[in-house]
Amino acid sequence: MTDPACPDNERVDAAARLADVRAQIARAAADARRHADDVTLIAVSKTHGADAIVPLIAAGQRVFGENRVQEAEAKWPELRAAYPDIRLHMVGQLQSNKADEAVRLFDCIHSLDRPSLVAALARAMDRAGRRPDCFLQVNLEGASGKGGCSPAALHALLGDARAADIPVIGLMTVPPLDREPAPWFALLAKLADDHGLTGLSMGMSGDYPTAVRLGATHIRVGTALFGSRG
Ligand SMILES: *Cc1c(COP(=O)(O)O)cnc(C)c1O
């Protein structure tokens, strides 16, 4: 199974990093009496090119994340044609004027956070005849402008999304930098439970084992899989 696009040393590095992350997921899941299979590992490949992505695909990873529509449009169509079972997640803030491209390109959108984006995505989904799963992004500090709705706005936003026939599968958050993440993860889990949602997109390279212990169903891991973004 040699892949000419993927030299052996890069394949070994990627496989080792992936194995390490998977082992940490398994350990954290076991701690919490959860099944590791219930945690989707999203390899966040933003800023990295096909040369870094292909070794991870060769190592077996199939779910990837990007944070910018334009970058994803440039990188992924060719890779998806070569590996049709890849699933692509949008994890970054989404502008309403990129909704059509996002709906065409992504299988899941993690950053639905405002009524205007609900409206834009609903129109885009109708036009495309395709309805990617969505997470509502919550800013648990309640601050606006950084991406994420406030906890107080969540109920109405969920109602809007459901009325627009957008498949909302859970909540997503990025906890405040330089703070202990566990309380924020626990709070997101409680908010999701209060709203009858089972998906929890939380945990990045620095804190994904904690997120898995607290119920994450989707973790978004970049640096631990690809190395630093320079
Ligand atoms: C970049 C990014 C990640 C991955 O971050 P790492 O610390 O490199 O694992 C996760 N979520 C979002 C929303 C991101 O933008």
Side-chain angles (χ1 to χ4, degrees):
M1 290 237 309
T2 51
D3 183 339
C6 181
D8 281 345
N9 56 339
E10 284 170 27
R11 188 200 309 273
V12 169
D13 287 351
R17 285 195 287 251
L18 182 60
D20 179 59
V21 170
R22 290 210 172 281
Q24 296 212 47
I25 294 169
R27 204 172 310 137
D31 286 349
R33 298 168 186 273
R34 302 184 59 211
H35 294 289
D37 288 353
D38 294 335
V39 180
T40 298
L41 170 62
I42 302 166
V44 179
S45 49
K46 65 188 186 198
T47 78
H48 297 287
D51 56 331
I53 295 170
V54 167
L56 212 55
I57 298 173
Q61 179 66 24
R62 285 297 179 276
V63 185
F64 288 86
E66 290 285 342
N67 71 334
R68 296 181 58 205
V69 171
Q70 264 176 318
E71 182 182 341
E73 269 184 318
K75 265 155 57 174
W76 281 99
E78 209 174 319
L79 286 166
R80 296 192 74 151
Y83 305 94
D85 56 342
I86 279 173
R87 288 288 167 270
L88 204 54
H89 290 235
M90 173 61 178
V91 302
Q93 277 184 265
L94 182 57
Q95 293 170 268
S96 294
N97 64 8
K98 297 273 179 13
D100 284 298
E101 290 92 330
V103 164
R104 274 200 304 270
L105 196 57
F106 293 100
D107 302 293
C108 184
I109 294 170
H110 291 240
S111 47
L112 182 47
D113 65 353
R114 57 195 190 274
S116 59
L117 187 56
V118 166
L121 279 177
R123 281 194 302 271
M125 288 180 186
D126 288 342
R127 276 195 288 266
R130 180 172 199 274
R131 310 192 90 72
D133 287 337
C134 292
F135 287 86
L136 300 188
Q137 182 176 350
V138 187
N139 182 329
L140 294 170
E141 290 179 296
S144 57
K146 287 197 326 178
C149 72
S150 71
L154 179 58
H155 187 77
L157 188 67
L158 180 60
D160 286 354
R162 285 183 169 151
D165 209 12
I166 291 178
V168 176
I169 63 167
L171 301 182
M172 178 274 215
T173 201
V174 180
L177 275 179
D178 304 324
R179 308 267 292 275
E180 166 61 39
W184 306 99
F185 293 156
L187 181 55
L188 193 74
K190 164 130 187 19
L191 271 179
D193 194 47
D194 288 348
H195 290 86
L197 294 166
T198 54
L200 284 172
S201 169
M202 57 190 198
M204 302 167 40
S205 290
D207 53 23
Y208 67 88
T210 301
V212 168
R213 280 189 209 96
L214 290 168
T217 61
H218 293 68
I219 57 176
R220 311 177 308 266
V221 178
T223 310
L225 290 170
F226 289 99
S228 85
R229 287 182 288 273

